[in-house]
Amino acid sequence: MHSNTTAHTNTVEGYWSQLKRSIDGTYHSVTTQWLRQYLNEFRFRYNQPSVPSGPGLLEQAAKLS
């Protein structure tokens, strides 16, 4: 969770809700073989909201090359 926030029931429920929507929208399903990697990726994205993803990530990568 964000380091400057307090955990509440709503925070935890919101986190799991976002995780489920993210998996459904990106991968469509989850296998136990890759579950840990899905969770690690989502945890990183949740805790690093300033890191761009999607088109923003591609734009930054293009600037580096």
Side-chain angles (χ1 to χ4, degrees), residues 15 19 23 30-44:
Y15 178 86
L19 172 65
I23 288 174
V30 174
T31 62
T32 55
Q33 177 183 5
W34 301 106
L35 181 59
R36 184 173 301 277
Q37 283 81 357
Y38 295 138
L39 295 174
N40 285 338
E41 177 186 353
F42 184 77
R43 182 184 62 199
F44 174 80

Side-chain angles (χ1 to χ4, degrees), residues 43-57:
R43 182 184 62 199
F44 174 80
R45 289 180 183 203
Y46 186 81
N47 288 326
Q48 305 294 326
S50 63
V51 174
S53 61
L57 181 62

Side-chain angles (χ1 to χ4, degrees), residues 11-21 39 42:
T11 305
V12 174
E13 289 176 1
Y15 178 86
W16 287 113
S17 176
Q18 282 184 308
L19 172 65
K20 289 189 289 185
R21 283 193 313 269
L39 295 174
F42 184 77

